[in-house]
Amino acid sequence: MMRYALYFSPDPASAWWQAGCHWLGRDPSTAGDMAQLRIADVNPKVFHHLSRDARRYGFHATLKAPFRLAEGYDLAHLDRSLQAFCHQQKSITVAPPQVEWLGPFLALRPSADGGELHHLAMQCVRDFDHLRAPLKPEELARRQQQQLSARQLRLLQHWGYPYTEEEYRFHMTLTDALDNTDAAAAIHQAAEQHFAIAEPLQIKDIALFAEHQPGADFALIRRYPLSA
């Protein structure tokens, strides 16, 4: 069954979007892959493998994690809700992101905490939760096998995702786990150089992504401007 996700994805004309898609080797607004960045001293096949999951989801920051629609709702309901929601939201300028470790993987994180980002994400989590179908038992069991705290387990059961409320961290994932590879240092250095972008990062819309079947690449369906 199709899953949807509410993401932030940089403006397609921005340097951030071009850099992110080139880094991952995929533009989620198109059907095909693109040439992935070559990193000195790292075999291209190794880097391709170490960014496999990040590439599948596309260059983004999660606002509301992937979910199936609840019974009685369809894409038209989600579309109308997104239009109404985004009409009430203002655009946000993000403090210049930096490459950081987030557990075993690399991500772009704002250089300063932004309460506006957290507020927007939690509004997305809350305001669209009535459209979310509960996790299937096997999905819940798979998540519970991860190393989650007691608080994260409660958030998982309540919102269908453990990294919400005070556990939320705005980030744009750049790699899969790098803790078992000798290429980690070279990839980290390459990321810092590649994403040394002076252009401001602005949240001007919310992007609706969809996974059309289990395991498929997430595709960008539509952008909804923040027009308050």
Side-chain angles (χ1 to χ4, degrees):
M1 182 180 291
M2 188 177 293
R3 289 195 302 165
Y4 296 97
L6 306 186
Y7 287 160
F8 161 67
S9 280
D11 187 299
S14 71
W16 290 104
W17 177 253
Q18 300 301 321
C21 292
H22 186 33
W23 174 267
L24 294 177
R26 177 173 174 258
D27 183 338
S29 65
T30 65
D33 290 342
M34 60 189 294
Q36 188 172 22
L37 181 75
R38 293 295 185 99
I39 299 177
D41 301 323
V42 178
N43 186 303
K45 292 182 178 179
V46 171
F47 181 44
H48 193 77
H49 176 74
L50 293 172
S51 54
R52 178 179 54 189
D53 286 341
R55 181 168 47 258
R56 185 171 89 83
Y57 285 90
F59 188 55
H60 77 281
T62 298
L63 298 174
K64 186 168 181 64
F67 61 95
R68 296 183 315 279
L69 288 172
E71 186 175 353
Y73 293 102
D74 58 19
L75 180 57
H77 290 98
L78 180 56
D79 177 72
R80 288 194 296 271
S81 296
L82 272 165
Q83 291 188 59
F85 177 85
C86 291
H87 186 65
Q88 301 175 33
Q89 309 301 322
K90 295 180 180 180
S91 61
I92 301 171
T93 299
V94 180
Q98 299 175 346
V99 177
E100 296 182 7
W101 288 104
L102 205 59
F105 65 90
L106 289 173
L108 281 172
R109 292 264 297 128
S111 55
D113 290 335
E116 290 178 305
L117 286 176
H118 189 275
H119 181 68
L120 177 63
M122 278 313 304
Q123 277 191 290
C124 288
V125 169
R126 293 191 180 98
D127 287 20
F128 293 92
D129 207 55
H130 67 288
L131 299 174
R132 177 182 64 86
L135 290 176
K136 295 179 180 179
E138 60 270 24
E139 293 173 323
L140 188 60
R142 186 166 58 250
R143 277 287 190 180
Q144 290 173 332
Q145 290 175 358
Q146 300 173 354
Q147 293 183 341
L148 300 177
S149 67
R151 173 58 175 161
Q152 289 168 343
L153 284 171
R154 290 195 295 271
L155 291 170
L156 172 66
Q157 292 165 351
H158 187 77
W159 299 116
Y161 190 61
Y163 306 111
T164 57
E165 299 193 23
E166 76 279 4
E167 296 290 333
Y168 179 72
R169 301 291 183 272
F170 180 93
H171 67 278
M172 290 178 281
T173 303
L174 301 178
T175 68
D176 301 352
L178 299 180
D179 49 347
N180 292 317
T181 176
D182 295 334
I187 294 173
H188 188 188
Q189 182 179 17
E192 290 182 325
Q193 295 173 349
H194 186 69
F195 290 100
I197 298 172
E199 180 181 306
L201 181 63
Q202 295 182 312
I203 299 181
K204 299 191 292 186
D205 55 43
I206 290 177
L208 175 63
F209 277 58
E211 178 195 47
H212 292 278
Q213 59 187 18
D217 290 344
F218 276 76
L220 196 162
I221 303 300
R222 180 178 174 182
R223 293 177 181 271
Y224 296 80
L226 307 182
S227 55

